[in-house]
Amino acid sequence: AQILDQWFESEPLKATLATDAVIGAMASPHTPGSGYVLLHHVMGELEGRRGAWGYVSGGMGALSQAIARAAAARGAHIFAEKAVSHVLLGRDGQAQGVVLQDGTEVRSKLVLSNASPQITFLELIPQEQLPKDFVRRIQQVDTRSPVTKINVAVDRLPSFLAAPNARDGQPLPHHQCSIHLNCEGTHLLHQAFTEATHGHPSSRPMIELCIPSVLDPGLAPQGCHVVSLFTQYTPSVLADGQHWDEQARNAYADSVFDCIEAYAPGFKVSVIGRDILTPPDLERIFGLPGGNIFHGGMSLDQLYFARPAPSYSGYRSPIPSLYLCGSGAHPGGGVMGAAGRNAAHVALKDFRHL
């Protein structure tokens, strides 16, 4: 907020930019260090345009499939739905492959883990094989997540009071963009954050709404659309130790839809399906610790040389031949592949000496 106040006067503009300073973070725009999170989301480029974002044709899964096809074309073997039980260690403590949950051993001179540091080092490696201070550091990583993702199927485009739909029902320019709701001022974001710190889902949550089917019609039947809602703040554990049951999920989603309805009347009756993913759901389904999309908070004490732990930011781990290459490694989360690329270079350098 301090940085935005120096550069801008418009409160809606400041709040819109501030969403990228808190996205995925249990933080307020007034939290020291949140300026880095904003930088993290606007650094880099897309097709030569600095700071640009884009939709993946075919949905985000198409990106994974493209990487898989490129790897397979170069001789990689990919086994999906094959859960890893633990990393296979030799007598010298060096990684020698992995053991699958069905007992199958896959031997290798190197092992690279794209899983979170918590899963990699606290679940897949025997604790006695790791330095105690390293284990303690991984256990203490702040993985709090404010994110509840809601995927929605609708039978028509939302029509916003600020920019009503055309008579022919065709998409307008704003339908192709990221639409921020409940973001008229940074004070609203701070208020939403404060409620979550007390264990309550935000009564007026920050909503980032995208309609990818406008640019990629193949994602939905003709006339229908898919709407992606990235919302916060929702604590992992609710006040008084309550958990996210079906009633709590639906109550929060209903409040989100009520907010959208205020901006786009008719939205609620257009909904034909919804999928609600709270922080515990994100952890259970995708292996995100605490539901954190970055495998750990992007705060200054968990970045650079301290990610995932001091002395282990160079992708090598305390286990020889085991490397960390996911979002929990430097430089952190985001769809950019930087951690994987950097880890691959380190692993290849070591491989030449094996």
Side-chain angles (χ1 to χ4, degrees):
Q2 184 179 12
I3 295 171
L4 294 173
D5 286 342
Q6 292 176 358
W7 285 89
F8 304 104
E9 296 176 356
S10 165
E11 192 58 35
L13 175 58
K14 286 191 286 186
T16 300
L17 291 170
T19 59
D20 276 342
V22 299
I23 204 85
M26 185 59 85
S28 157
H30 299 289
T31 302
S34 57
Y36 173 79
V37 182
L38 174 59
L39 169 65
H40 192 85
H41 282 87
V42 297
M43 66 171 64
E45 63 180 36
L46 177 66
E47 297 179 347
R49 295 180 59 190
R50 180 173 295 178
W53 286 62
Y55 293 102
V56 178
S57 179
M60 287 300 294
L63 178 59
S64 302
Q65 294 300 325
I67 296 172
R69 287 193 297 271
R74 289 159 177 79
H77 297 274
I78 299 172
F79 302 92
E81 304 298 329
K82 293 289 185 180
V84 174
S85 171
H86 60 273
V87 176
L88 186 64
L89 302 180
R91 292 182 178 178
D92 57 357
Q94 184 165 329
Q96 295 184 340
V98 296
V99 179
L100 305 184
Q101 284 189 351
D102 63 7
T104 303
E105 291 187 0
V106 182
R107 292 188 171 268
S108 173
K109 291 183 178 180
L110 301 178
V111 176
L112 286 85
S113 175
N114 178 257
S116 70
Q118 292 76 16
I119 290 177
T120 303
F121 301 115
L122 302 182
E123 297 184 22
L124 302 182
I125 298 290
Q127 301 297 282
E128 60 271 15
Q129 296 289 333
L130 297 166
K132 290 183 179 179
D133 59 339
F134 178 81
V135 172
R136 192 178 306 112
R137 165 68 184 189
I138 299 301
Q139 291 173 334
Q140 292 175 345
V141 170
D142 181 3
T143 59
R144 291 175 302 159
S145 170
V147 176
T148 289
K149 181 72 163 32
I150 307 177
N151 302 310
V152 189
V154 295
D155 62 10
R156 74 199 77 159
L157 275 176
S159 182
F160 294 91
L161 292 172
N165 289 359
R167 289 185 178 181
D168 59 6
Q170 292 301 304
L172 298 173
H174 66 273
H175 288 122
Q176 304 174 28
C177 304
S178 174
I179 300 170
H180 295 204
L181 305 179
N182 291 341
C183 298
E184 289 84 352
T186 52
H187 68 284
L188 293 176
L189 304 182
H190 182 71
Q191 179 180 330
F193 162 75
T194 302
E195 289 177 300
T197 61
H198 292 97
H200 303 289
S202 303
S203 58
R204 192 176 177 185
M206 181 186 92
I207 303 170
E208 188 175 272
L209 183 155
C210 296
I211 315 172
S213 52
V214 167
L215 293 170
D216 191 1
L219 295 176
Q222 188 173 2
C224 297
H225 290 278
V226 291
V227 179
S228 172
L229 304 177
F230 194 100
T231 79
Q232 55 188 79
Y233 298 76
T234 50
S236 295
V237 179
L238 301 173
D240 301 321
Q242 297 296 311
H243 296 284
W244 283 98
D245 56 18
E246 203 63 28
Q247 182 179 356
R249 283 190 190 89
N250 285 314
Y252 175 72
D254 289 342
S255 71
V256 170
F257 284 20
D258 285 341
C259 289
I260 299 174
E261 184 77 13
Y263 292 94
F267 175 79
K268 290 201 292 186
V269 297
S270 74
V271 174
I272 55 179
R274 68 186 189 184
D275 182 27
I276 309 162
L277 301 172
T278 63
D281 297 320
L282 295 172
E283 179 170 29
R284 174 177 51 84
I285 298 171
F286 302 107
L288 301 174
N292 192 292
I293 61 174
F294 303 125
H295 289 187
M298 300 288 287
S299 54
L300 296 181
D301 60 316
Q302 297 185 167
L303 290 170
Y304 301 104
F305 70 90
R307 194 170 188 92
S311 303
Y312 293 101
S313 62
Y315 309 101
R316 298 182 181 92
S317 77
I319 302 296
S321 298
L322 173 63
Y323 304 82
L324 192 68
C325 63
S327 294
H330 173 75
V335 186
M336 55 180 170
R341 181 184 185 278
N342 293 348
H345 279 284
V346 172
L348 284 170
K349 181 179 179 181
D350 293 351
F351 186 76
R352 297 188 182 101
H353 301 291
L354 293 177

